[in-house]
Amino acid sequence: VLTGTVKSVSRGPPQEPGWAVVSVLSVYKSGGLEVPQPAKGATLRLQLPCRLCPALKKGSSYVLMGRLGGDGGALLPPDAFVVPYRPQQQQVLGNLSKRPCRGTS
């Protein structure tokens, strides 16, 4: 889970994935995603397998929760959690980052 501002979106040809470049505002749960430290201000390239979704607008900020691709890169599939970011969400997201993972893997 991270918050970031979309810097660019490239949808590419119909049979190939698109890409979004996001400037990281904050990282709350990164799993195995390699995010440069300090995370704030770092850029992250997200693969977009679907040409139409999620709908991302250049210059807008979002809360993003995707997956790791087979190569360990960030993947934002159509079913990814993507909502507009609002500063009021900061406290809730901060609490999320303090929770331990209950997964078994």
Side-chain angles (χ1 to χ4, degrees), residues 2-7 22-25 56-64 82-87 89:
L2 63 90
T3 54
T5 302
V6 176
K7 295 297 179 190
V22 175
S23 176
V24 176
L25 297 172
L56 299 173
K57 182 178 173 186
K58 182 179 174 181
S60 295
S61 296
Y62 298 93
V63 177
L64 305 161
V82 177
V83 296
Y85 171 70
R86 292 178 183 79
Q89 298 164 325

Side-chain angles (χ1 to χ4, degrees), residues 9-30:
V9 179
S10 169
R11 295 294 177 176
Q15 303 303 324
E16 294 183 25
W19 297 92
V21 176
V22 175
S23 176
V24 176
L25 297 172
S26 194
V27 176
Y28 302 96
K29 294 279 186 179
S30 64

Side-chain angles (χ1 to χ4, degrees), residues 1 7 14 20 22-23 26 35 41 44 53 55 67-69 78 87 89 99:
V1 177
K7 295 297 179 190
V22 175
S23 176
S26 194
V35 179
L44 185 61
C53 52
R67 298 186 186 135
L68 287 178
Q89 298 164 325
R99 284 185 174 175

